C-alpha cells in the first residue's frame, strides 16, 4: 500500500503537460488550494518524477510528443510501485473514443480543456478520498486474510489433536491386547523348550538302552524323520523366541512412537525415535512386486539428548518418511513402463548432526523431486502434490507447525526434478519453558 499519508499532510500532485502555460496555471491553482505540486513537461520526466517521490494523484495530458499520455499511463500501471496511483487525464479533445481509451489504459477520470478550477480540485479530492477508502478496504482484506489463515491453522491443529488422541487410544488398546497373549507365549516358550529337550533326552536314552527297536517303532521313526526332527527342534524353538521378541519390539515401538501418555516436554534420544518410526514403516520399505526394497541409509551424528515434545516430533518423522516412500513409489510407477529404463536403487538417507545448540535432521529420497513452482506452497494447509485420494495436504502443514511454532525451529525443502527431495529440520537442543501452544 503506497498511499499512506494522512489528511494532515499536503497532497502531492504531479501535473504532466507539454504546454508551460498550462503547467503554470494548474500549478498556481492547485497550490492555492493547499496541494503540493510538481511539474513535468513530458512523459519521461513524469515517469522519473514518480520513481523519485510517489504522487497521490497524477494529472496527465494526452497529446504530448514522443510519448503520449496513454503510453505514460500504461507504463505507470505496469510498474508495481506506481500501479495504484490515480491518473486523471486532461485533454483538449472531448471525444467519446478518447475517453474510452483513457479508461481502458487505467485512468480513473477524464477532464476536457478548457477546465474549470473548481471542477479539477473537486475531481482530485474525490480521487484522494476514494484512494483512502481503497487503502482501508485493503487493510481490512489483509486482516480478513490473516483471520482466514489463522482459522485454517486452527483447523489443522484440531485435526492433529484429534488424530493424536485417537492414535493414543488405539495404541493403548493394541498394546494391552497384544501384550497379554505375547507375554503368555514368550513366558511359556522357556518351559516348552525345556520340556522338548527333556523328551529328546528321553528318546536318546531309549535309543541307547534299546539299540534294536521293533519294526513298528522303526517305521514311525522313518515316517517322521526322527533324527532330523531332533536336530531341528531347537531351531524351531529359537525361531519362536525370535518371533515373540520381534512382536514385543513392535508393540514397544508403537508405544514409544505414539507416546500418548507424554504430552509434556522432555529430553529424548532422537535416533531412538527415528528407529521406532522406521519400525512402523517396515511394511512399506520391504520389496514388492514392482520394485526392490527401499534402502535406508543412516548417517547419524553424535547427538545429545534433545528437549522436545516427543509424540509430535514422531509425527513429523512419520509424515516425512511416508512422503519419501510415496515419492519413490511414484517415480517407479512413472518410469518402470519406459523402455530400457534404468531405475536407481530406491533409497532414503537420514542424516543427523549438531551445530552449536541446533540439531539438524535431514531426510532425503531419490524419488521424482518437486517442481520449484510448487515448493513455496508445500507447507500450506490442504495443499498436496499427490493425486486425488492419496493425500490430504495436512502432513507437511502439521509438520511445519510442530517444528516452527511448537519447537521454535525451522523446516525447509530442497529439490530438483528427477533428483529427489530433501527435507531438513532444525530444532534447538533445549526448549524454553513454558512453550506456548501453537494454533
Amino acid at each position: 500500500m503506497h498511499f499512506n499519508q494522512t489528511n494532515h499532510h499536503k497532497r502531492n500532485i504531479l501535473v504532466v503537460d507539454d504546454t508551460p502555460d498550462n503547467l503554470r496555471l494548474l500549478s498556481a491553482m492547485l497550490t492555492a488550494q493547499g496541494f503540493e505540486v510538481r511539474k513535468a513537461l513530458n512523459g519521461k520526466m513524469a515517469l522519473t518524477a514518480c520513481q523519485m517521490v510517489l504522487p497521490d494523484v497524477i494529472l496527465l495530458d494526452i497529446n504530448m510528443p514522443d510519448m503520449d499520455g496513454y503510453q505514460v499511463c500504461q507504463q505507470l500501471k505496469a510498474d508495481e510501485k506506481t500501479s495504484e496511483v490515480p491518473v486523471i487525464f486532461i485533454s483538449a479533445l472531448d471525444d467519446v473514443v478518447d475517453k474510452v481509451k483513457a479508461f481502458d489504459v487505467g485512468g480513473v477520470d477524464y477532464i476536457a480543456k478548457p477546465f474549470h478550477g473548481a471542477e479539477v480540485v473537486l475531481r482530485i479530492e474525490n480521487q484522494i478520498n476514494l484512494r483512502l477508502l481503497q487503502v482501508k478496504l485493503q487493510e481490512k482484506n489483509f486482516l480478513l486474510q490473516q483471520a482466514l489463515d489463522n482459522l485454517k491453522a486452527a483447523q489443522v491443529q484440531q485435526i492433529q489433536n484429534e488424530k493424536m488422541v485417537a492414535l493414543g487410544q488405539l495404541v493403548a488398546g493394541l498394546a494391552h491386547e497384544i501384550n497379554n497373549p505375547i507375554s503368555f507365549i514368550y513366558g511359556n516358550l522357556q518351559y516348552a523348550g525345556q520340556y522338548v529337550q527333556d523328551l529328546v533326552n528321553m528318546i536318546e536314552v531309549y535309543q541307547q538302552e534299546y539299540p534294536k527297536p521293533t519294526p513298528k517303532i522303526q517305521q514311525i521313526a522313518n515316517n517322521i524323520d526322527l533324527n532330523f526332527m531332533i536336530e531341528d527342534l531347537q531351531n524351531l524353538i529359537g525361531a519362536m523366541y525370535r518371533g515373540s521378541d520381534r512382536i514385543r519390539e513392535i508393540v514397544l515401538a508403537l508405544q514409544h512412537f505414539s507416546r500418548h501418555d507424554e504430552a509434556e516436554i522432555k529430553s529424548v534420544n532422537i535416533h531412538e525415535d527415528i528407529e521406532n518410526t522406521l519400525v512402523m514403516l517396515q511394511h512399506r520399505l520391504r520389496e514388492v512386486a514392482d520394485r526392490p526394497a527401499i534402502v535406508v541409509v543412516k548417517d547419524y551424528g553424535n547427538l545429545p539428548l534433545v528437549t522436545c515434545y516427543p509424540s509430535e516430533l514422531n509425527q513429523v518423522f512419520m509424515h516425512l518418511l511416508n512422503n519419501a516412500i510415496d515419492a519413490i513409489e511414484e517415480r517407479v510407477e512413472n518410469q518402470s513402463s519406459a523402455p530400457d529404463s534404468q531405475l536407481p536403487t530406491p533409497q532414503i538417507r537420514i542424516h543427523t548432526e549438531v551445530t552449536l545448540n541446533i540439531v539438524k535432521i535431514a531426510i532425503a529420497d531419490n524419488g521424482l523431486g518437486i517442481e520449484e513452482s510448487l515448493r513455496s506452497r508445500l507447507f500450506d494447509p490442504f495443499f498436496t502434490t499427490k493425486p486425488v485420494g492419496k493425500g490430504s495436504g495436512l502432513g507437511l502443514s502439521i509438520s511445519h507447525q510442530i517444528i516452527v511454532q511448537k519447537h521454535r525451529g525451522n523446516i525447509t525443502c530442497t529439490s530438483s526434478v528427477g533428483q529427489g527431495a530433501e527435507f531438513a529440520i532444525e530444532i534447538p537442543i533445549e526448549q524454553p519453558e513454558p512453550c506456548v501452544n501453537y494454533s
Side-chain angles (χ1 to χ4, degrees), residues 45-64:
M45 290 176 62
L47 294 173
T48 303
C50 287
Q51 292 297 324
M52 293 175 64
V53 178
L54 200 65
D56 293 315
V57 176
I58 299 173
L59 295 182
L60 181 59
D61 187 25
I62 292 178
N63 295 313
M64 295 185 296

Side-chain angles (χ1 to χ4, degrees), residues 5-296:
Q5 295 175 311
T6 67
N7 289 325
H8 301 294
H9 292 85
K10 282 187 176 182
R11 298 302 177 187
N12 187 303
I13 311 298
L14 176 63
V15 182
V16 188
D17 198 316
D18 65 328
T19 306
D21 288 341
N22 287 341
L23 279 180
R24 282 192 292 270
L25 176 61
L26 284 169
S27 177
M29 181 182 64
L30 295 175
T31 301
Q33 294 294 322
F35 294 106
E36 181 180 332
V37 181
R38 291 185 298 150
K39 296 172 282 187
L41 282 166
N42 55 55
K44 288 185 178 179
M45 290 176 62
L47 294 173
T48 303
C50 287
Q51 292 297 324
M52 293 175 64
V53 178
L54 200 65
D56 293 315
V57 176
I58 299 173
L59 295 182
L60 181 59
D61 187 25
I62 292 178
N63 295 313
M64 295 185 296
D66 299 328
M67 183 186 295
D68 64 25
Y70 300 131
Q71 293 171 311
V72 174
C73 187
Q74 285 173 327
Q75 289 201 27
L76 289 170
K77 296 304 171 183
D79 188 336
E80 185 179 353
K81 182 179 178 181
T82 58
S83 62
E84 295 180 357
V85 178
V87 175
I88 300 175
F89 281 103
I90 297 178
S91 176
L93 302 174
D94 193 17
D95 190 273
V96 173
V97 174
D98 293 304
K99 289 182 178 180
V100 170
K101 187 172 182 181
F103 288 114
D104 282 344
V105 296
V108 295
D109 208 344
Y110 185 101
I111 301 172
K113 297 178 184 178
F115 45 76
H116 300 284
E119 178 188 5
V120 174
V121 171
L122 182 60
R123 289 177 184 259
I124 289 174
E125 288 180 344
N126 284 343
Q127 291 304 323
I128 288 173
N129 291 332
L130 180 61
R131 182 73 189 117
L132 279 173
L133 292 174
Q134 288 175 336
V135 169
K136 289 179 180 178
L137 181 60
Q138 288 173 345
E139 289 173 348
K140 287 182 179 178
N141 286 342
F142 177 75
L143 294 174
L144 284 172
Q145 186 61 49
Q146 276 191 322
L148 179 60
D149 292 342
N150 290 338
L151 179 60
K152 284 184 177 180
Q155 289 174 330
V156 169
Q157 183 54 39
Q158 184 179 4
I159 292 169
Q160 167 71 356
N161 289 341
E162 292 173 356
K163 183 177 179 181
M164 289 298 293
V165 170
L167 179 62
Q169 293 172 343
L170 175 65
V171 168
L174 279 174
H176 177 75
E177 293 300 323
I178 297 174
N179 265 335
N180 285 339
I182 200 61
S183 296
F184 176 79
I185 293 170
Y186 189 83
N188 283 301
L189 269 176
Q190 180 180 355
Y191 300 107
Q194 186 60 52
Y195 296 160
V196 167
Q197 188 58 51
D198 290 344
L199 288 173
V200 169
N201 293 340
M202 186 71 175
I203 291 171
E204 289 176 346
V205 171
Y206 264 99
Q207 288 176 329
Q208 292 170 6
E209 294 294 324
Y210 300 97
K212 293 182 180 180
T214 64
K216 184 176 182 179
I217 293 174
Q218 185 64 45
Q219 183 62 43
I220 293 174
N222 291 337
N223 290 341
I224 65 174
D225 198 352
L226 180 61
N227 291 334
F228 172 79
M229 185 179 70
I230 290 173
E231 291 177 4
D232 199 45
L233 269 172
Q234 290 305 317
N235 292 333
L236 288 177
I237 297 295
M240 285 188 281
Y241 261 120
R242 290 190 296 275
S244 300
D245 258 337
R246 181 62 179 155
I247 295 173
R248 293 174 71 194
E249 287 175 6
I250 291 172
V251 172
L252 191 61
L254 263 173
Q255 293 172 323
H256 285 168
F257 168 76
S258 70
R259 295 183 186 267
H260 63 281
D261 57 343
E262 296 178 5
E264 297 302 318
I265 196 168
K266 65 180 296 185
S267 296
V268 298
N269 183 326
I270 292 292
H271 293 154
E272 285 185 2
D273 282 355
I274 294 174
E275 291 298 324
N276 288 328
T277 308
L278 287 171
V279 168
M280 306 299 301
L281 293 170
Q282 280 302 312
H283 66 289
R284 297 203 65 196
L285 297 170
R286 294 192 189 100
E287 180 181 358
V288 292
D290 55 353
R291 68 152 173 81
I294 297 174
V295 177
V296 179

Side-chain angles (χ1 to χ4, degrees), residues 306-307 357-359 403 407-409 426-432:
V306 177
T307 305
N357 294 319
I358 300 295
V359 168
I403 297 301
H407 288 88
R408 293 176 170 84
E426 292 180 340
I427 57 173
I429 294 174
E430 296 290 337
Q431 290 289 325

